[in-house]
Amino acid sequence: MKYLVLLMGDGEEIPWNEQSPQQQTASIEKFGAFDAACAQRSGVQILAGEALGSPGDAKVMRSRAGQVSITDGPYAEAIEGLGGFYLVESPDLDTLFELLRLLPAYDIQVAPVVDPV
């Protein structure tokens, strides 16, 4: 099963731009540990993953009544900014949640990907 993992908000982590170089290095090491653990786990594969720019750099495109509007900023309803994502193949949610504990203590949202078949 594929899952979209959204790194939402800083959770218990200090915001990246407020971290010391040593703290940033420790965070990067956690991402490396997660990648390595996924590679070693049978049935788990990271299919994609990227860090994202700041919420202030985001754009929103909406279609209403045949009209398209593009505005600055993240979704108006979002309280936290989306910091990054992973697309992960995992045999089940329990395995995925076990591995996600290796990441920095962000707030994380997980959604299954719909198989169109």
Side-chain angles (χ1 to χ4, degrees), residues 16 19-29:
W16 182 260
Q19 290 184 20
S20 69
Q22 295 83 5
Q23 290 169 316
Q24 290 177 346
T25 298
S27 289
I28 290 171
E29 288 172 355

Side-chain angles (χ1 to χ4, degrees), residues 20-85:
S20 69
Q22 295 83 5
Q23 290 169 316
Q24 290 177 346
T25 298
S27 289
I28 290 171
E29 288 172 355
K30 290 178 184 177
F31 286 105
F34 172 73
D35 292 354
C38 287
Q40 293 173 354
R41 183 63 66 94
S42 178
V44 176
Q45 181 181 8
I46 297 175
L47 303 172
E50 297 290 339
L52 301 176
S54 72
D57 294 332
K59 305 287 184 200
V60 175
M61 185 172 112
R62 289 186 172 91
S63 298
R64 300 289 186 274
Q67 299 294 317
V68 174
S69 65
I70 299 173
T71 57
D72 289 336
Y75 289 106
E77 298 85 8
I79 297 170
E80 301 141 332
L82 179 60
F85 73 94

Side-chain angles (χ1 to χ4, degrees), residues 90-115:
S90 178
D92 54 60
L93 271 173
D94 291 337
T95 300
L96 181 58
F97 282 127
E98 177 185 331
L99 292 165
L100 290 174
R101 292 183 199 312
L102 296 171
L103 291 173
Y106 296 119
D107 294 335
I108 297 174
Q109 179 178 325
V110 176
V113 175
V114 175
D115 185 358

